[in-house]
Amino acid sequence: MTHDMTTPRPAADDSVGDRIRWTLSDYRVVVGQEFAHLVRQPANFAWQLGFPVVMVLLFVYVFGSAMDVTGQGAGVGYIGYAMPGLFAMTMAFGFMNTAFAVADMKEKGFIDRVRSMPMASSAIVVGRNLADTIQAAVDLAVLAVIALLIGWSSDGMLWQTIAAFALLLWLRFSLIWVGIWIGLLVNGTEQAGNLFALAFPFGMISSVFTPPELMPSWLQPVAEWNPVSATATSIRELFGNPVPIGDAWPEVHAMTAAIIWPLVITAIFLPLGVRRFRNLGR
Amino acid sequence: MSSSVIEAHGLTRRFGETVALDDFDLDVARGSVHGLLGPNGAGKTTAVRILTTLQRLQTGTAVVAGHDVVREPRQVRRRIGLTGQQTAVDDLLSARQNLVYFGRLFRLGKADARARADELLAQFGLTASADRVPKKFSGGMRRRLDLAASMILAPDVLFLDEPTTGLDPAGRREVWEAIAGLTAGGTTVLLTTHYLDEADRLCDRISVVDRGRNVVDDTPDGLKRRMGAERLEVVATTPEALESITEVVKAVGTGEPSVEAEALTVSAFVHDPVDALVSAAAEIRQRRLEVADLGLRRPTLDEAFLELVGRETA
Ligand SMILES: Nc1ncnc2c1ncn2[C@@H]1O[C@H](COP(=O)(O)OP(=O)(O)OP(=O)(O)O)[C@@H](O)[C@H]1O
Ligand SMILES: [Mg+2]
């Protein structure tokens, strides 16, 4: 082989403009790769959806038949209460898929390869988030269709329904930064898998399935201040589904909390993730 | 322009109590193939990771392709390729998609990335498998795809960390041929290996490293020569002939010949190898002895390596 005319040289990116342009291009490429995965391996995508779908069916038909949280009777009333909770829960747990995938890339040496390349050091972190957020939107759409099929409906106006789904994605978007950071932090997929034991209570100690008022008093503040609760309460309001509201600040101002929480999480974990990526070799 | 493309001085890297690299020096000439040879845990991967900007060095300096790895890591990354100890390809994408993806991250335009991918697929004999996923490849094919991915930009320096570990002989040969092809184009290669035959075959120079320290830095032949003089070796056809053969060998060698009766072999160190060979051959003819083999033996690189590192190695 010779370094002939067709052998390319790296593009210069010494000016600020070039760097921004190339950084955006890197993001696009990383997002594109994730989509190529979806197209080539639709089965993986289906598996990922399996958990929330099974949860929906379990909650509505198994637990729901025995619970009456709204005073409207068990069963029907519970779908209205549980469905927004399940949407929120899918958003709350999904970031563990991201953590797992990133831990896998690190374990297999893939992260090393890209770190030795001249791309932007934020590209993997940001690109991964964008791709996973878009994928979460698809997850959510599928889940919404299933919900409609089993009798749930949004009583809100169209803009309210759209706003509710946007809040859900906003929560997931922020949690994906946490997932990426965890994936880069742990040693291997096994550790990432173990962390699910931590994520599970994070999703459950919230108003997703049980009104905090029904919890032991020491647990109530945790559930009330949980970012997942703020989102769950807000979307219940927006969907016009029954909202058993308490009097803690994040419950009264759920909408504000549902906007601010993800902002705070992003502000902390986006830089942490990029820094971790840069400093993996310390 | 300096003739060295990698210049590292006094590299030190600790991981807690472990000293992975201890005042390690490395000088690699432009256009050469340089081997890092050492047992498990010697510090080879750590050296490669420092030189490819993946790992922070704690003390010392390293300049790769004209740029300091600590102060100008971006400049270094634009001039190197890395094939790490693990094969790092995306198993869910096809071979071609992998190369296009990496090409795009090397910041080629779409069309350029595609053209380059096809070129590399052809060069590494993967054209027929371009649309299959590497998950279904043989180890040798995966490794060749991995190599191709590190060659996208025709780097000034290519780092290969154990490029043939875990491959069968055919797979190793495939990878060797690929490496030989690269160096013909002027790329400098730094490769690590446990395999002495591999180092012997591919490398212009070899740095032997053990416990993070330089042991010796020499050509493969030089390494073997360090083992001392060459030996004259004669193999008899019958046990009865051993005695006379021992006399012949003793006459041309230095010191007592060593006799391996079961192998029917007699050998001794010699001062002037050619002279000793000619005299021994003449004497054998004169005495009308029959021999199975007569020749000069240089120590193998394995022997040289064991001697240099001074302990059992993998
Ligand atoms: N990230 C790390 N954390 C802790 N210890 C490490 C780390 N990386 C390397 N080491 C230690 O540093 C030493 C040198 O390791 P290195 O991987 O460089 O050796 P090597 O020569 O590549 O070995 P091998 O032939 O097994 O690949 C070993 O003792 C190893 O355990
Ligand atoms: Mg190693």
Side-chain angles (χ1 to χ4, degrees):
Chain A
M1 196 207 77
T2 50
H3 291 188
D4 52 34
M5 300 279 282
T6 60
T7 303
R9 303 300 298 169
D13 65 343
D14 300 321
S15 77
V16 177
D18 281 350
R19 278 179 74 160
I20 293 174
R21 217 161 42 82
W22 279 118
T23 301
L24 292 177
S25 149
D26 292 344
Y27 293 172
R28 246 198 359 254
V29 174
V30 175
V31 173
Q33 181 212 17
E34 295 304 325
F35 279 105
H37 283 169
L38 285 187
V39 173
R40 287 193 76 100
Q41 309 285 325
N44 288 0
F45 177 66
W47 274 113
Q48 205 165 307
L49 257 178
F51 181 66
V53 169
V54 168
M55 289 301 275
V56 167
L57 302 178
L58 266 182
F59 267 86
V60 173
Y61 292 115
V62 181
F63 308 138
S65 55
M67 291 198 211
D68 180 6
V69 285
T70 55
Q72 297 174 2
V76 178
Y78 193 69
I79 292 185
Y81 183 76
M83 222 34 247
L86 284 160
F87 288 143
M89 189 203 70
T90 305
M91 295 299 105
F93 289 157
F95 77 98
M96 290 307 294
N97 294 333
T98 302
F100 199 83
V102 171
D104 187 54
M105 292 206 290
K106 187 179 151 196
E107 193 170 50
K108 295 209 172 120
F110 198 84
I111 296 276
D112 272 352
R113 156 152 275 154
V114 289
R115 281 181 67 233
S116 78
M117 289 170 49
M119 58 195 278
S121 55
S122 61
I124 290 292
V125 174
V126 175
R128 180 89 218 177
N129 188 318
L130 297 180
D132 284 3
T133 303
I134 296 169
Q135 198 183 323
V138 179
D139 285 1
L140 208 50
V142 174
L143 216 54
V145 169
I146 291 173
L148 288 171
L149 288 179
I150 61 173
W152 169 83
S153 65
S154 166
D155 297 332
M157 306 211 276
L158 183 63
W159 74 265
Q160 287 177 312
T161 307
I162 291 171
F165 283 115
L167 279 182
L168 285 166
L169 281 179
W170 178 227
L171 175 70
R172 171 70 162 264
F173 171 80
S174 72
L175 291 177
I176 288 172
W177 301 121
V178 182
I180 292 169
W181 178 71
I182 290 175
L184 291 174
L185 203 62
V186 296
N187 281 322
T189 45
E190 204 173 315
Q191 274 189 21
N194 293 341
L195 282 172
F196 194 73
L198 289 179
F200 197 68
F202 164 71
M204 292 310 236
I205 305 174
S206 67
S207 63
V208 166
F209 297 113
T210 322
E213 284 63 39
L214 303 180
M215 298 180 189
S217 57
W218 59 270
L219 213 50
Q220 274 182 30
V222 180
E224 285 161 1
W225 284 90
N226 189 331
V228 183
S229 301
T231 302
T233 305
S234 308
I235 63 170
R236 284 189 172 117
E237 281 172 27
L238 290 167
F239 286 141
N241 292 138
V243 192
I245 206 161
D247 48 11
W249 188 90
E251 287 183 297
V252 180
H253 302 92
M255 211 75 80
T256 314
I259 292 169
I260 290 179
W261 260 128
L263 201 62
V264 172
I265 295 172
T266 299
I268 295 171
F269 287 93
L270 164 59
L272 273 182
V274 175
R275 227 181 60 152
R276 178 76 198 147
F277 183 88
R278 262 192 208 132
N279 295 344
L280 272 175
R282 269 176 205 260
Chain B
M1 194 182 264
S2 159
S3 66
S4 297
V5 74
I6 299 176
E7 283 173 283
H9 297 290
L11 299 188
T12 301
R13 173 73 213 208
R14 288 190 186 77
F15 296 103
E17 295 284 283
T18 314
V19 185
L21 279 184
D22 187 2
D23 201 19
F24 181 74
D25 294 330
L26 185 65
D27 194 315
V28 176
R30 188 175 297 279
S32 67
V33 178
H34 196 106
L36 276 186
L37 189 62
N40 283 126
K44 305 180 296 293
T45 296
T46 305
V48 166
R49 288 175 59 83
I50 286 175
L51 296 172
T52 52
T53 77
L54 294 181
Q55 194 98 60
R56 268 304 194 87
L57 57 80
Q58 284 158 335
T59 54
T61 57
V63 175
V64 173
H67 296 274
D68 188 293
V69 295
V70 176
R71 273 178 289 135
E72 304 170 293
R74 294 167 51 78
Q75 297 295 338
V76 172
R77 284 180 209 135
R78 281 165 57 179
R79 290 165 175 80
I80 61 169
L82 167 67
T83 295
Q85 195 161 346
Q86 294 163 287
T87 306
V89 293
D90 188 327
D91 274 321
L92 301 180
L93 300 180
S94 72
R96 179 182 282 116
Q97 279 178 318
N98 260 286
L99 292 179
V100 173
Y101 169 65
F102 288 122
R104 300 278 284 139
L105 288 182
F106 274 121
R107 297 174 165 183
L108 302 181
K110 254 192 202 128
D112 283 347
R114 285 208 192 101
R116 184 68 181 142
D118 285 335
E119 219 172 74
L120 287 165
L121 287 167
Q123 192 184 322
F124 285 86
L126 293 168
T127 305
S129 312
D131 295 313
R132 289 167 56 205
V133 288
K135 208 186 226 171
K136 304 204 171 114
F137 283 5
S138 70
M141 285 167 78
R142 269 173 68 91
R143 205 53 170 160
R144 276 183 291 150
L145 178 63
D146 203 32
L147 277 174
S150 57
M151 288 300 302
I152 288 171
L153 283 191
D156 291 349
V157 196
L158 184 61
F159 293 86
L160 308 173
D161 198 354
E162 296 187 25
T164 65
T165 297
L167 298 185
D168 64 11
R172 295 179 72 197
R173 198 155 325 110
E174 285 173 7
V175 171
W176 285 347
E177 278 162 18
I179 294 170
L182 306 179
T183 54
T187 294
T188 307
V189 176
L190 180 73
L191 68 88
T192 78
T193 182
H194 296 281
Y195 301 123
L196 302 151
D197 58 331
E198 180 165 292
D200 196 9
R201 184 181 172 129
L202 293 174
C203 299
D204 300 312
R205 278 190 90 78
I206 297 173
S207 296
V208 178
V209 46
D210 186 33
R211 296 168 219 215
R213 272 178 294 224
N214 297 83
V215 177
V216 64
D217 186 330
D218 207 338
T219 60
D221 279 342
L223 272 186
K224 291 180 215 161
R225 230 176 284 122
R226 278 169 198 259
M227 272 295 286
E230 290 185 75
R231 297 169 76 85
L232 176 76
E233 192 178 278
V234 184
V235 183
T237 50
T238 59
E240 290 74 41
L242 272 180
E243 199 177 320
S244 328
I245 287 176
T246 306
E247 281 168 25
V248 174
V249 172
K250 185 171 180 163
V252 298
T254 60
E256 271 308 300
S258 64
V259 183
E260 290 171 65
E262 273 148 59
L264 302 178
T265 301
V266 183
S267 66
F269 286 113
V270 292
H271 270 314
D272 184 336
V274 176
D275 217 37
L277 187 64
V278 171
S279 320
E283 184 65 18
I284 285 167
R285 167 151 295 182
Q286 176 128 34
R287 295 190 186 206
R288 299 178 183 282
L289 293 170
E290 254 190 64
V291 298
D293 190 18
L294 165 70
L296 292 167
R297 298 282 175 266
R298 212 172 242 187
T300 65
L301 206 46
D302 279 276
E303 291 167 316
F305 182 67
L306 286 177
E307 171 97 357
L308 288 166
V309 171
R311 63 182 159 111
E312 281 297 309
T313 58

